[in-house]
Amino acid sequence: MRTKIFRHSGILIIMAVILTFLTMSWAMYDNTADQLRSSVKNECKYYKFALDKMGDTYLDEKAGDITDSRVTLIDTDGTVLFDSLEKVDSMENHSSRPEFVEAVEKGYSDLSRYSETLRSKTYYSALKLENGKVVRVSLTTDSVLGFMLNGIYLVGLLIAGILILEFVLVRQMTNKLVAPINRIDLEHPLENITYEELSPLLGRIHQQQKQIGQQLEEMRHNQEEYLAITEYMKDGLIVTNQSVVLSINRSAQELFDVTAKECVNHNIVTVSRNQELKEALDEALKGRSEERMLEINGRVYQLMANPVRVDDVVSGAVILVLDVTEKQKAEMMRKEFSANVSHELKTPLMSISGYAEIIENNMVKPEDIPKFAGRIHSEASRLSSLVEDIIKLSRLDESENSLPMEEVNLLLVCHDVEGQLSMRAKERKITMQVRGEEIRIKGARQILYEMVYNLCDNAIKYNRQNGSVEVTVSRSRSGRPMITVADTGIGIAKEDQQRIFERFYRVDKSHSRETGGTGLGLSIVKHGAILHDAKIKIESALGAGTKIMIEF
């Protein structure tokens, strides 16, 4: 406040002093100039009168000593006959001088000339004598600029003195102004006796204090609710900002064998030095969700780290630790079951195929051969397909991290699938079309082929007669490679869409038997998507067809 008052007052004072100085200097100079003009003119008239009466002898060497003006007598041809300041022998002819020319023509002349070098101004008055000669009187004085420069030092001293005095007065004034404000009791702002101008501000402070109190109470209540919920969670929960742990629930404390006091407001390494935990947190703080698997004390945990954004800026992370030991065991049992089933079913499959061939070779009653053999062969084919699908799933489960990856042209894979299924599509009178752009990704070509094959195979199986299947290779809005398989088939109900990727799950079991489905095709698609870090989206409605998109 003191600085602002001093600055504003100082500027006003300096401007006032300078403007006053300039105005007064100009007025004084203008008045002085008028007086000089009048004085030179009158003096010139006096010399004219004297010279007309007494002749040229009136002017002698002592004539210049009685006046500050310069007196010059010029002959009719411009020759200088007398000058009170210089010797006439060294002076040039004045016939071209403006004042001489004008005096000869008009009888008088009043002129002034400015000298840039000397910053001075000279006033001339010339009169024509009765004998034709010209008498000239001139007087030199400072110009406006020179006149002002002479007083600038006084003005500077005056401004400096005023500023010093102003600094002292402003300091005293601001101390008096600020003292009541410094004594304000902000705990009870409305009880202060102070300036009336501050009343709106104090009223606002009072209202804000009430709001802050209410917000603090709400925060305390929300914190109690948060603690009540998180403390009794079965899963571990850790909340951090960009640098330290903000909270850790009881399950996480027990899992990592730490206390809240040891972790809160400390780095994540105080919770655990596990590298997987640290890397997952680092990824979340960079804005990317991360999932990792941890093994602690013989149990398996799924760690999920997600970023927390405030105004599109990552301000922290939430880490959820789930115990998936039982799930992992069940998954292992499922893998073993799939491998055992595929192994056990191979022998009866070959037997069924052998009997079918014997029957087809007329080794039974002729009238029963076509029907009986057809059923056996149909079941054998379905069983073979089941075994093949189980084997594919088992290979995917067992070789998730060991499959060879190569650069694969997705459009070429789709065209290969089209060639493989074109005959089946024609049999069902279904139009199949592949279009799009050539997009290459790094992946397992055989798995990608199986994924597209199963999607297209389902699109043909569950389509309507004279329907269509359209396969498109393109990029999503985010620029990611994407394969879309759209059909005009029977569609899938909303409640079934989340379950169709489960193993052996069928929406319509009777229809699946008719079409020869095993219930494992979409499971293969799901596992292939997981292997390639892809996302599957489905859009479908009963009777309106189905569209399945795989975004890599």
Side-chain angles (χ1 to χ4, degrees):
M1 182 186 292
R2 183 184 296 114
T3 303
K4 287 185 177 180
I5 294 175
F6 178 77
R7 183 169 62 247
H8 294 164
S9 302
I11 291 173
L12 289 175
I13 291 172
I14 292 172
M15 289 179 62
V17 171
I18 292 175
L19 289 175
T20 302
F21 169 72
L22 293 175
T23 303
M24 294 299 297
S25 296
W26 183 268
M28 291 174 64
Y29 179 82
D30 193 56
N31 183 51
T32 302
D34 289 341
Q35 292 179 2
L36 288 176
R37 289 192 196 96
S38 179
S39 174
V40 170
K41 189 175 183 179
N42 291 335
E43 193 171 352
C44 188
K45 287 179 180 180
Y46 169 76
Y47 279 110
K48 178 182 182 303
F49 177 78
L51 290 170
D52 285 340
K53 292 293 184 181
M54 301 176 64
D56 296 350
T57 57
Y58 176 76
L59 295 175
D60 55 16
E61 293 180 359
K62 295 182 179 180
D65 297 336
I66 63 176
T67 178
D68 293 332
S69 303
R70 181 178 183 177
V71 182
T72 307
L73 180 62
I74 307 171
D75 202 351
T76 56
D77 60 354
T79 303
V80 179
L81 301 176
F82 174 81
D83 191 89
S84 61
L85 294 182
E86 296 185 28
K87 292 182 180 181
V88 296
D89 296 340
S90 62
M91 297 180 68
E92 62 182 5
N93 190 284
H94 280 35
S95 60
S96 61
R97 297 292 177 93
E99 63 273 13
F100 174 80
V101 174
E102 188 175 4
V104 171
E105 292 177 355
K106 298 181 180 180
Y108 66 91
S109 176
D110 292 312
L111 297 175
S112 62
R113 283 201 291 271
Y114 177 71
S115 174
E116 292 283 353
T117 304
L118 301 176
R119 292 187 299 181
S120 61
K121 194 171 186 181
T122 303
Y123 297 95
Y124 295 93
S125 181
L127 292 172
K128 185 177 181 182
L129 303 179
E130 292 177 355
N131 58 11
K133 299 177 182 179
V134 174
V135 63
R136 184 188 69 180
V137 178
S138 63
L139 184 62
T140 300
T141 184
D142 291 335
S143 65
V144 178
L145 179 60
F147 185 81
M148 292 182 179
L149 288 176
N150 289 334
I152 197 68
Y153 301 105
L154 180 61
V155 173
L157 291 174
L158 179 62
I159 290 175
I162 292 175
L163 290 178
I164 293 172
L165 179 61
E166 181 205 4
F167 178 78
V168 175
L169 295 178
V170 167
R171 187 171 184 177
Q172 293 178 353
M173 180 179 66
T174 52
N175 288 338
K176 291 180 180 180
L177 287 172
V178 172
I181 298 176
N182 290 334
R183 292 195 296 267
I184 292 176
D185 182 9
L186 295 179
E187 295 295 328
H188 309 89
L190 297 181
E191 297 178 6
N192 293 276
I193 301 174
T194 183
Y195 303 111
E196 183 178 350
E197 291 80 1
L198 292 178
S199 296
L201 174 63
L202 296 176
R204 188 175 299 173
I205 291 174
H206 177 70
Q207 292 297 325
Q208 288 183 345
Q209 283 183 338
K210 290 176 62 178
Q211 292 178 2
I212 291 172
Q214 293 174 356
Q215 290 173 355
L216 288 174
E217 182 62 25
E218 291 178 2
M219 289 175 62
R220 186 186 63 79
H221 180 68
N222 292 338
Q223 186 177 17
E224 290 177 353
E225 288 185 346
Y226 170 79
L227 291 174
I229 294 172
T230 58
E231 280 301 300
Y232 296 99
M233 284 177 58
K234 180 181 178 182
D235 304 314
L237 179 67
I238 304 172
V239 180
T240 76
N241 59 16
Q242 283 285 350
S243 55
V244 298
V245 175
L246 299 179
S247 70
I248 177 170
N249 71 347
R250 186 178 301 173
S251 297
Q253 294 174 38
E254 293 175 354
L255 174 62
F256 295 108
D257 193 21
V258 292
T259 64
K261 187 176 180 180
E262 293 172 341
C263 301
V264 175
N265 295 325
H266 292 83
N267 193 277
I268 190 69
V269 296
T270 60
V271 177
S272 174
R273 295 186 179 275
N274 188 288
Q275 189 65 22
E276 297 289 337
L277 175 63
K278 187 178 184 306
E279 290 178 359
L281 175 62
D282 290 341
E283 289 296 317
L285 293 179
K286 292 177 183 177
R288 298 187 289 267
S289 297
E290 186 73 7
E291 290 190 17
R292 298 289 180 96
M293 302 302 292
L294 300 178
E295 187 171 344
I296 302 175
N297 298 327
R299 299 191 67 82
V300 181
Y301 296 89
Q302 182 181 11
L303 187 149
M304 294 182 290
N306 293 294
V308 176
R309 290 182 172 86
V310 178
D311 297 331
D312 293 331
V313 177
V314 178
S315 60
V318 175
I319 301 174
L320 189 63
V321 186
L322 307 176
D323 188 344
V324 294
T325 305
E326 302 303 325
K327 182 179 179 181
Q328 288 287 96
K329 290 180 180 179
E331 188 72 11
M332 290 300 297
M333 291 176 64
R334 183 197 60 76
K335 291 178 182 179
E336 292 176 2
F337 172 77
S338 297
N340 291 335
V341 167
S342 62
H343 177 73
E344 294 295 331
L345 290 181
K346 270 291 185 178
T347 302
L349 172 63
M350 298 306 296
S351 299
I352 293 173
S353 298
Y355 284 125
E357 290 177 5
I358 292 173
I359 295 172
E360 288 175 351
N361 289 328
N362 296 320
M363 296 182 68
V364 294
K365 293 181 180 181
E367 62 270 18
D368 294 332
I369 290 175
K371 183 177 179 181
F372 192 56
R375 287 180 180 179
I376 294 175
H377 193 269
S378 176
E379 288 296 322
S381 299
R382 192 184 71 80
L383 191 57
S384 179
S385 298
L386 175 62
V387 172
E388 288 178 2
D389 287 347
I390 291 174
I391 293 173
K392 290 174 186 176
L393 281 173
S394 296
R395 287 175 179 172
L396 280 174
D397 291 338
E398 295 168 2
S399 308
E400 283 186 349
N401 299 319
S402 60
L403 286 172
M405 294 292 181
E406 60 182 332
E407 191 176 80
V408 180
N409 187 327
L410 295 180
L411 185 62
L412 185 59
V413 170
C414 293
H415 278 300
D416 290 346
V417 172
E418 179 189 22
Q420 187 70 20
L421 294 175
S422 58
M423 291 301 298
R424 189 177 301 179
K426 287 180 180 179
E427 290 174 1
R428 295 181 58 84
K429 297 181 180 180
I430 293 172
T431 303
M432 188 173 180
Q433 181 182 9
V434 176
R435 64 178 183 178
E437 57 185 303
E438 290 194 358
I439 299 177
R440 299 176 183 274
I441 68 169
K442 190 173 183 180
R445 191 186 188 285
Q446 184 59 36
I447 303 302
L448 292 170
Y449 177 90
E450 293 291 341
M451 292 168 65
V452 179
Y453 182 94
N454 282 309
L455 289 177
C456 295
D457 188 37
N458 280 354
I460 294 172
K461 286 178 182 178
Y462 301 98
N463 214 318
R464 301 181 186 279
Q465 198 168 14
N466 298 319
S468 65
V469 176
E470 188 175 280
V471 183
T472 307
V473 180
S474 62
R475 291 191 180 274
S476 64
R477 292 182 178 178
S478 60
R480 295 177 179 273
M482 184 169 67
I483 296 176
T484 304
V485 178
D487 63 59
T488 57
I490 60 176
I492 304 170
K494 190 78 173 177
E495 60 272 16
D496 293 319
Q497 290 179 13
Q498 297 301 320
R499 300 197 61 192
I500 59 174
F501 296 98
E502 295 179 9
R503 299 182 183 188
F504 301 108
Y505 182 83
R506 297 182 179 88
V507 176
D508 185 347
K509 295 183 179 180
S510 61
H511 187 79
S512 296
R513 290 193 185 97
E514 292 175 6
T515 57
T518 63
L520 294 175
L522 291 181
S523 294
I524 294 174
V525 174
K526 176 184 175 182
H527 279 70
I530 294 172
L531 176 66
H532 290 87
D533 195 23
K535 295 180 181 178
I536 302 176
K537 298 179 182 178
I538 181 170
E539 295 177 4
S540 183
L542 287 175
T546 301
K547 180 190 290 186
I548 297 179
M549 295 153 283
I550 304 176
E551 183 179 349
F552 294 90

